[in-house]
Amino acid sequence: MGTPVWMRWRPLAVALIACFLAACGTTSTGRPGDFPPLPSDAGDDRAAPPVAVTTKGPHKFKHSTPSGRPVSFDPCRPIHYVINTANMPDKGADMVREALDQISQASGFTFTDDGTTEEAVPTGERPPVQERYGDKWAPIMFAWADQAKVPALAGSGGLGVNYPISPSGPESERYTTGMVVLNFRYFADWQTRRNGYQVTRASVMHLTMLVLGLDDVGDRREVMGRSSTSDKLGPGDRQGLAMLGASPCYSDT
């Protein structure tokens, strides 16, 4: 399996990337037989129509293939997700769904809500395939914790991790699953403030977009901007998401 890459969001500022394991950003090049079978909802065509790139602004990608294609998820299948409700703040599930709705409209990715999960936030690597979810890539998990459970959350609004694989070499690289861990103490503090819902929803959007393949930029008008608290996608956010959503389909796992 690929090495998971953790990404961190500080309150009102995006921190440097911290790798969960020593080898940051490496990918698996195992044979397709090492991976789960092709899921039943994977198709030869996109799950939703592509989104045209109609805006231009600052955007960056976490990784690109040698040909320059941004590494992303497969747009020809739904991206499944689950929510662990332990320590979830008021309206936490609404934040997740609203964030995914905005991202879906801008990217052409579709998201399928697989409900809640009792999967605990791991203290080590999260297995990307788990018996609880069957013989398939685990859904993206949204969960809440604090630094007592996840020390890397100290002074941070949340962390994001994704799992890259490249079954047929560097040009086949794509993400298969991921996790967003949100600092419930940060959320509890912000939800007492006048614009707290918008700020915390911005954290959910930012971390989700990191998991999908975008990176931080310097423009505060973008959700991906450092020190940004905007929960409205900027032109660079939209351009980057549309480009991620233009990724190819895969039929190997």
Side-chain angles (χ1 to χ4, degrees), residues 67-141:
S67 68
R69 175 184 63 81
V71 177
S72 187
F73 280 76
D74 184 340
C76 299
R77 67 187 72 181
I79 300 173
H80 291 258
Y81 72 95
V82 290
I83 299 175
N84 182 325
T85 60
N87 300 309
M88 185 174 72
D90 184 39
K91 298 184 178 179
D94 292 337
M95 289 182 198
V96 171
R97 296 182 182 116
E98 290 172 13
L100 293 179
D101 184 59
Q102 284 200 55
I103 291 169
S104 178
Q105 292 180 42
S107 65
F109 288 123
T110 61
F111 296 91
T112 296
D113 184 351
D114 286 351
T116 60
T117 182
E118 294 183 357
E119 178 189 355
V121 177
T123 55
E125 179 178 349
R126 181 191 184 219
V129 179
Q130 302 180 34
E131 184 177 355
R132 74 176 68 240
Y133 301 118
D135 190 15
K136 59 184 179 180
W137 297 109
I140 293 175
M141 180 171 70

Side-chain angles (χ1 to χ4, degrees), residues 207-219:
L207 287 163
T208 302
M209 290 157 69
L210 281 170
V211 170
L212 292 177
L214 289 183
D215 200 357
D216 309 330
V217 297
D219 193 327

Side-chain angles (χ1 to χ4, degrees), residues 121-177:
V121 177
T123 55
E125 179 178 349
R126 181 191 184 219
V129 179
Q130 302 180 34
E131 184 177 355
R132 74 176 68 240
Y133 301 118
D135 190 15
K136 59 184 179 180
W137 297 109
I140 293 175
M141 180 171 70
F142 291 85
W144 281 262
D146 64 5
Q147 69 184 72
K149 173 69 175 178
V150 182
L153 284 172
S156 169
L159 298 166
V161 60
N162 54 28
Y163 293 83
I165 62 168
S166 51
S168 304
E171 282 300 327
S172 70
E173 187 174 1
R174 87 294 300 250
Y175 300 126
T176 56
T177 184

